[in-house]
Structure formats: structure tokens, C-alpha cells
Amino acid sequence: MTEREKPNGLALSHMWVAMITFLVAAFLGLYQVLERAEYIPAWAEGYYTSVTAHGVIMAYVLTTFFIVGFGYYCASSSLKRPIWSPGLAWGGFLMMLVGVLLVVYAIVTGQGTVLYTFYPPLTAHWTFYVGAALLVVGSIAWIIIMIVMPIRWKRENPGQPLPLIMFTTTANALLWGWTLVGVALEVVFQLIPLSVGWIDSVDVGLAKTLFAWTLHPIVYFWLIPAYQAFYMLVPRVAGGRLFSDEMARVAFIMLLVFSLPIGMHHLYVDPFQAAGWKLFHAFGTFMVAVPTLITGFTVLAGLELAGRLRGGKGLFGWIRTLPWDEPMLVATALALLMLTAGGFGGMINASYGMNTMVHNTMWVPAHFHLIFAGTTIIMYFAIAYHLWPKMTGRELFSKSLAVKQLWVWFIGMLILTIPWHYVGLLGMPRRTALMPYDPVYVDPWKSTLFAMAIGGVVLAVSAVMLIYNLVMTQVNRAREADRELKFAEPIHPVLSLPAPLNGFTLWNSIILIYMIAGWGYPIAQFFVMNTQNALPWGW
């Protein structure tokens, strides 16, 4: 593939939007912990606006732009061809960008303070929802391209295994396609008509149910690029091989199937759904742990192989021989540590009884930050350090600074989230600007506020280090010697695959049945049960 055919500009444009907005979100997070610790004057309106902007950027803008850009680059690199329909891809990018600008307008003018969750009766200005809709619609262009490209490649290469990175990128595109349906229905049929004034009310039970459809599967949409790096970039950087191509495909298929009808564990304490449906979704939530365990085993197996190929001996001697000056490897080790701790917390959240003890406390953001801002985002950093030289043709400005930045992020995340877990168990509520409660409850929390503030400062410093390194790489005069994006080869080359491991026809059929089973009646009940004379859509 020639230099002209690579999607450098397309991928870089997406990733720069992701990184610049991430820097803004990092400082908004710092503002929140300082305000909560009362190191700056309390300002409730500013706090809630900050929570909204921080959450919108981290959950929707950073992730969507980064994943789409990463997907385009991986597709083009693995299939050795230009992006299909670049006009559609750029059109999607511009639509997403316009959507972000509309959301920003709603937030900065004080008309979008809805805490980034789509829960009426909290209602934002219509520009907030139209902007969110444009962000989603723009990303559909990416879904289409990630489906069309492998289909065309397979027609030209009959019987050949689709490259693993393309297979998993398409899996993520399909996951996003299934995931976005719930929130799209809510936004189009409830929130936009409500915000414009076409209707006076909506059924909040239906709204929360539709958002729950999207709420948890979206986490795996964010997480899959990290898993792709675990399987296909880390072994290569470490000097080893992928333990098993087939096992990797099974893990990603399990993520795709099991991660979809599980969102109702966010509604455990809500009265809109019967307990049986919540139990159904709880089982699905625990099943997602299976591909995660497979991933952990595969990553460690690949790293052990790399260490032994480098001369490592004994039970743990191979660990010392790994190239610990590589950002990708450091990020992986730190990510797995945070994934283990965050996963443990997630098991508590997913458990029907224990969830009640920590519901809406600081335990929830502590778990979420370990999984998302810890495991997922630190791997985004590593991917950025790996791709920036290949996309720009410039050497990474400083590998040692990159490694330091990853360690600073990890330390900051621990300083921030360990106290959050503790005060969560003590009952400190989340997402509150002020804490006007009985001193008997509030006093034990105060000893942790200083640590939270320090954690926020450390994370903001790490964010600046990241952006500085990427900017300096962009303008670096030293040329990158190897601009080809290479992926780990499996120990045993894959010559052929059964159709279910080389495509998604079977799995989409299973998902359709699974989604109808998991969401069919819980949504239909709002239309067939005459509860309090509520109108599901408000009309």
C-alpha cells in the first residue's frame, strides 16, 4: 500500500479530536475533586456542568473518535487497501464534529446540565440531543465501512481467514450497531420531542430501560480496542507471538454476544422491571467475565513466550527479560492490574444484593474509573504512542517520557480511586456538589478528600505529559524508520477457519434472538400495560 493510500489524515483527525477533548476533560475532573474537597469555592451549577462535560467527553467523544480512527487505520493496514468510500468516512467525521459542537453549545450556555446520562425528567436544550444524535449517526458511517471492507476482501480472497485485527474491528462495529439502538430510540422518540416542546412528558420507565440497553454494552465498545492491543500489538512489541488466533476469535465473539442484554443491572433498585428480568441480565453480566479470563490467560501466555524467547529462565525469570522500556508493555501490565481490581468491584455491582449496599455511592465511580479511565484509557495512550509515529512519519518524541506518563497515570488513578472505594462503603453519595448531611456521616469522609484532590492533580499532570509528547512527535524532525503497522503472528499459523470464526452471520442471528429474549417484554410492557395512564413516547 502506498503512502498516498494510507488513511493517515483520516485516522489522525479522529484521534486528535479525541486527545484534545481528553485534555479538557482531565482538567474538568480536577475541578470536581477540588470543589468537593472545598479547596475552591463551592459552586453547584459549575460542578454539575463540569460533571456533564467531563462525562460527555470521556464517555462519548474521546471514545467514539478514538475507536473510529483506530478502526480505519487497522482496517486499511491489515487488508492492505485504502478505506472504502473515503467520502462517506469524512462525511461521518464532519457529522460527528458538528454534533460535538452542538453539545458543547448546550453545555457551556448552561442548557445541558443533565449529568451525561439520558434520564428524564432531567431535560437539556434540544441542541444537546440533536448533537448527540449527529455523533451517533456519524459513527454509523464507520460501522458501514467496517462491514463492507471485510466482505469485499473475502470475495477477493475466498476461503482465506480474515485478518484477526479486521475480524475484531468488525466485531466492535457490530457491537456498536446493536448497542446504539436503545439510546437512539430514546433520543429520537422521547428526548428530542420533549426538549423541543412537542410533547409535555414521557414515560421515564421506558426512557431508563432504553438507556440501559445502551448503558453497559457501550463499555465493551470502549474496551475492545484495549483487548485488540492485548492480543495483536503487545506480543509483537514484546518479541513473542499470539498464543492462539482461534481462541482470540472466540473471546471477541463471546464479548459481542454476552455483552449486549446485560444493562438491566443498572436498574436493580428501579421499580420499572420485575426481578426475574434483572436476574436474567445478571447472568449475562457474569458471563462477560469468561472472555476476560480468556484474555488474561492469552496475554500472559504470549508475554511468557516472549520472555523465554529472550532468554528468561525459571518460573518468573522470563518477566525480567521483557522490554520494560516499551510503553505498550508497561501500559498492558498496569492495565491488567487495574482490570483485576476494577473487575472485582464490578462483580459486586452486578450482584443483586451487594449492589444495594453501594448503589449511587462513590464505590460506583471508583469501579468505573478503574475499568474505563484505568484499563481502557491507559491502553488508548499506549496505542497512540504506537500509532503516532506510523501515522505522522515522525519518531516518537520521547519513549521514556511516555513510560513515565503511564506510571503517573496509574499512580494518580490509584490515589483517586482507593479512597473512593472506601468512602463508597461508608455511604458517600456520588455526583453531588455539596454534602449538607449529618456530621456523623460526613466527618469520616473528610480524611479522604485530600487524597482525592492529589489524585486529580496527578492525573491532570499525566494528561499534559501525554499531549506534550504527541505534539512534539507531530513536529519532530526525526523520521520514523518503520511506518508499517504490524500485528502479532499466532504460534500456529491459521490456514483455514470454520465459517463461524470467520464471519458474523450466525452470531447476528443469535444476538437477535438473545436481544428479543432479554429486552422484548421489558420494553413491550410499557405499551401493553396501562400503568398510571402513562404514554410511553409522550404522545
Side-chain angles (χ1 to χ4, degrees):
M1 187 169 55
T2 66
E3 176 68 20
R4 185 178 60 82
E5 293 173 326
K6 287 184 177 179
N8 295 330
L10 184 64
L12 263 176
S13 300
H14 283 83
M15 290 195 174
W16 265 124
V17 172
M19 291 302 167
I20 291 170
T21 53
F22 160 74
L23 183 64
V24 174
F27 277 89
L28 289 171
L30 173 60
Y31 165 77
Q32 290 164 51
V33 293
L34 293 177
E35 199 270 3
R36 264 206 159 203
E38 300 180 347
Y39 294 141
I40 58 177
W43 180 33
E45 184 179 352
Y47 176 84
Y48 293 118
T49 300
S50 174
V51 171
T52 302
H54 176 80
V56 166
I57 291 173
M58 288 293 198
Y60 309 128
V61 181
L62 159 67
T63 49
T64 308
F65 276 89
F66 187 92
I67 293 168
V68 170
F70 182 50
Y72 283 139
Y73 201 77
C74 289
S76 180
S77 300
S78 61
L79 301 184
K80 309 294 184 187
R81 61 187 57 195
I83 291 297
W84 177 76
S85 189
L88 178 62
W90 278 109
F93 170 77
L94 292 175
M95 188 175 291
M96 290 164 60
L97 201 57
V98 171
V100 171
L101 293 176
L102 285 175
V103 172
V104 168
Y105 165 78
I107 293 175
V108 300
T109 57
Q111 302 177 85
T113 308
V114 289
L115 304 182
Y116 74 88
T117 48
F118 293 66
Y119 289 152
L122 278 178
T123 309
H125 190 259
W126 65 266
T127 51
F128 183 88
Y129 300 117
V130 172
L134 290 177
L135 177 62
V136 170
V137 173
S139 70
I140 292 176
W142 173 74
I143 296 175
I144 294 171
I145 293 170
M146 293 302 102
I147 293 174
V148 171
M149 287 187 70
I151 290 175
R152 292 165 66 92
W153 184 91
K154 289 171 76 172
R155 284 177 182 165
E156 297 168 13
N157 300 271
Q160 295 297 309
L162 189 66
L164 181 59
I165 189 73
M166 189 68 249
F167 181 83
T168 55
T169 299
T170 303
N172 204 21
L174 291 171
L175 174 60
W176 180 226
W178 282 102
T179 300
L180 62 83
V181 173
V183 72
L185 291 172
E186 182 194 5
V187 168
V188 171
F189 293 106
Q190 288 189 308
L191 297 179
I192 290 179
L194 184 64
S195 63
V196 173
W198 294 338
I199 56 178
D200 296 325
S201 66
V202 296
D203 189 321
V204 296
L206 176 61
K208 292 200 73 170
T209 301
L210 290 173
F211 191 67
W213 173 315
T214 300
L215 183 57
H216 208 80
I218 197 174
V219 173
Y220 300 100
F221 168 63
W222 305 332
L223 193 59
I224 280 184
Y227 278 40
Q228 289 176 299
F230 288 158
Y231 280 96
M232 286 155 273
L233 296 179
V234 173
R236 178 94 194 181
V237 170
R241 285 177 175 266
L242 172 62
F243 180 74
S244 169
D245 181 288
E246 293 90 339
M247 184 181 288
R249 289 172 195 258
V250 170
F252 280 90
I253 289 170
M254 293 177 76
L255 275 174
L256 171 62
V257 175
F258 290 134
S259 67
L260 279 164
I262 62 174
M264 214 177 286
H265 72 253
H266 289 266
L267 305 179
Y268 279 165
V269 301
D270 287 276
F272 314 113
Q273 303 293 345
W277 296 110
K278 296 171 182 176
L279 185 63
F280 182 94
H281 284 236
F283 283 132
T285 306
F286 283 106
M287 285 303 296
V288 178
V290 177
T292 301
L293 291 173
I294 294 174
T295 300
F297 170 80
T298 303
V299 172
L300 292 176
L303 290 178
E304 181 178 354
L305 175 63
R308 297 199 183 281
L309 288 174
R310 289 173 170 273
K313 305 291 184 184
L315 187 59
F316 298 113
W318 56 272
I319 297 176
R320 291 197 305 271
T321 62
L322 294 172
W324 291 108
D325 60 336
E326 288 289 345
M328 183 65 71
L329 192 61
V330 173
T332 298
L334 301 179
L336 289 177
L337 289 173
M338 290 186 280
L339 179 63
T340 303
F344 173 76
M347 301 292 269
I348 291 174
N349 295 347
S351 301
Y352 208 129
M354 288 190 287
N355 178 285
T356 307
M357 293 189 296
V358 297
H359 181 73
N360 263 343
T361 70
M362 288 302 293
W363 175 279
V364 179
H367 154 72
F368 181 70
H369 277 72
L370 277 179
I371 293 293
F372 175 70
T375 306
T376 303
I377 298 301
I378 204 169
M379 290 308 297
Y380 284 13
F381 297 160
I383 292 170
Y385 288 134
H386 194 71
L387 292 192
W388 236 257
K390 301 186 185 306
M391 292 189 295
T392 63
R394 314 285 176 170
E395 280 187 2
L396 182 62
F397 173 68
S398 174
K399 186 186 287 187
S400 64
L401 178 62
V403 170
K404 291 184 179 73
Q405 183 266 324
L406 296 169
W407 275 105
V408 172
W409 186 261
F410 173 71
I411 293 168
M413 196 56 64
L414 293 186
I415 296 173
L416 187 73
T417 57
I418 290 174
W420 281 0
H421 280 97
Y422 172 66
V423 294
L425 293 174
L426 295 180
M428 177 190 272
R430 62 171 173 159
R431 297 178 185 165
T432 54
L434 309 170
M435 293 182 288
Y437 311 115
D438 192 314
V440 172
Y441 299 104
V442 175
D443 288 346
W445 304 341
K446 290 183 177 177
S447 61
T448 65
L449 297 177
F450 177 72
M452 297 179 197
I454 294 297
V457 171
V458 173
L459 291 171
V461 170
S462 177
V464 172
M465 293 168 67
L466 168 80
I467 300 302
Y468 173 75
N469 209 352
L470 295 181
V471 170
M472 295 306 292
T473 300
Q474 190 91 27
V475 300
N476 195 355
R477 292 185 177 181
R479 297 283 180 178
E480 170 67 15
D482 182 7
R483 297 190 61 183
E484 184 179 355
L485 181 59
K486 299 171 184 171
F487 304 99
E489 297 292 336
I491 295 175
H492 302 290
V494 179
L495 303 178
S496 64
L497 286 169
L501 293 185
N502 204 33
F504 296 96
T505 303
L506 171 65
W507 306 116
N508 276 314
S509 302
I510 292 174
I511 289 170
L512 178 61
I513 297 170
Y514 197 17
M515 292 296 280
I516 291 173
W519 288 111
Y521 186 77
I523 292 175
Q525 67 171 342
F526 292 100
F527 299 89
V528 300
M529 293 177 65
N530 186 21
T531 306
Q532 305 296 326
N533 296 317
L535 296 173
W537 301 124
W539 40 268

